[in-house]
Amino acid sequence: MSESLLDKAVVITGGGTGIGRVAAHKFADEGARVLVVGRSAGSLKETAEGRANISVATADVAAPSGPDDIVSAAESALGGIDVLVNNAAITRPQALGEIDRDVAVTQLHTNLLGPLLLTQRALPHLVAARGTVVNVTSVSGARGWPANSVYGGTKVALDFMTRTWAVELGSRGVRVVSVAPGVTQTPMLEHAGFTQEQMETSREFFLSRIPLGRIADPEEIARWIVRVADPGASYLTGAVLRVDGGINVA
């Protein structure tokens, strides 16, 4: 257990599955007090099961009331916010010419506008704590990705926000870092409505391009989320940390 994270107040959106769930467990194992946020009460309860220092809040970061609901829950459960992990995201692949406006707006609200407004709402707590924001983004911005212009665009924009907020908030002691995962074994494609055959085709496509030759386990991403949030990383801000098996340089 790292004493530097002991009793820190950590909020993680999208904490019911995948990277968010594993990150919550790792923060909790380091002695932090964690609030996991998501739309599914059942999956959040599974994340918290057996860990007294994980609380849950059912809220949608994309909803107009989402940021207020989440920060209010953090105030009640944790007494403040030392670390905010903007992890919630959805993907709904559609090629240009086939993009549905409502589907695009939902992605924009969940992946970009939600994190922006939540971070803004949490800012007084983050400044008071000289805290850290971790934006979970993607390696998608380095090259074209057919049918993913909306999803990829939101992640590129969130990396830009990381750099901008690092400049804006550095003098107030708040650090902002992006952790940009490569292809990771999470339920995201299943939630997007992919069939088993489509998911396997996607898997084979990426495996042929990843220098390490395998898909990441969520733990391999979550480990870096915890490490960049640790006060021991006190001189790290404005960085985009690519944890991608080398696909970005291949």
Side-chain angles (χ1 to χ4, degrees), residues 37-110:
V37 180
R39 294 177 296 179
S40 171
S43 61
L44 293 172
K45 289 178 181 177
E46 289 175 6
T47 297
E49 187 174 359
R51 287 177 164 84
N53 53 340
I54 298 182
S55 305
V56 305
T58 305
D60 184 356
V61 71
S65 65
D68 282 340
D69 294 341
I70 293 167
V71 172
S72 293
E75 290 168 346
S76 176
L78 307 176
I81 303 173
D82 294 294
V83 177
L84 173 61
V85 181
N86 287 313
N87 171 69
I90 60 171
T91 181
R92 300 292 185 266
Q94 294 178 323
L96 188 65
E98 303 171 356
I99 294 173
D100 178 86
R101 178 184 175 85
D102 290 341
V103 172
V105 167
T106 299
Q107 289 182 87
L108 288 165
H109 281 189
T110 303

Side-chain angles (χ1 to χ4, degrees), residues 18-226:
I19 293 169
R21 172 177 289 182
V22 179
H25 290 170
K26 286 190 168 298
F27 274 114
D29 290 345
E30 294 282 352
R33 295 174 297 116
V34 183
L35 177 70
V36 288
V37 180
R39 294 177 296 179
S40 171
S43 61
L44 293 172
K45 289 178 181 177
E46 289 175 6
T47 297
E49 187 174 359
R51 287 177 164 84
N53 53 340
I54 298 182
S55 305
V56 305
T58 305
D60 184 356
V61 71
S65 65
D68 282 340
D69 294 341
I70 293 167
V71 172
S72 293
E75 290 168 346
S76 176
L78 307 176
I81 303 173
D82 294 294
V83 177
L84 173 61
V85 181
N86 287 313
N87 171 69
I90 60 171
T91 181
R92 300 292 185 266
Q94 294 178 323
L96 188 65
E98 303 171 356
I99 294 173
D100 178 86
R101 178 184 175 85
D102 290 341
V103 172
V105 167
T106 299
Q107 289 182 87
L108 288 165
H109 281 189
T110 303
N111 300 1
L112 186 60
L113 190 59
L116 187 161
L117 296 177
L118 174 57
T119 305
Q120 179 169 270
R121 177 65 179 80
L123 191 56
H125 291 292
L126 292 163
V127 170
R130 299 181 70 83
T132 304
V133 179
V134 183
N135 291 323
V136 181
T137 61
S138 171
V139 296
S140 59
R143 59 196 68 216
W145 189 4
N148 282 275
S149 57
V150 178
Y151 174 80
T154 63
K155 294 301 187 177
V156 171
L158 196 52
D159 280 338
F160 179 81
M161 288 181 185
T162 290
R163 298 183 179 101
T164 300
W165 296 346
V167 175
E168 291 179 342
L169 302 177
S171 63
R172 288 186 269 178
V174 177
R175 298 188 299 113
V176 189
V177 180
S178 283
V179 173
V183 187
T184 307
Q185 191 63 48
T186 73
M188 179 173 275
L189 293 183
E190 183 181 345
H191 292 168
F194 276 47
T195 65
Q196 193 62 41
E197 182 179 358
Q198 288 173 319
M199 287 190 286
E200 187 57 34
T201 298
S202 177
R203 174 184 173 86
E204 293 303 319
F205 173 83
F206 285 114
L207 279 175
S208 67
R209 289 160 172 79
I210 300 170
L212 289 185
R214 61 182 178 82
I215 304 297
D217 185 276
E219 181 169 340
E220 295 177 289
I221 311 302
R223 181 180 297 120
W224 287 103
I225 294 172
V226 175

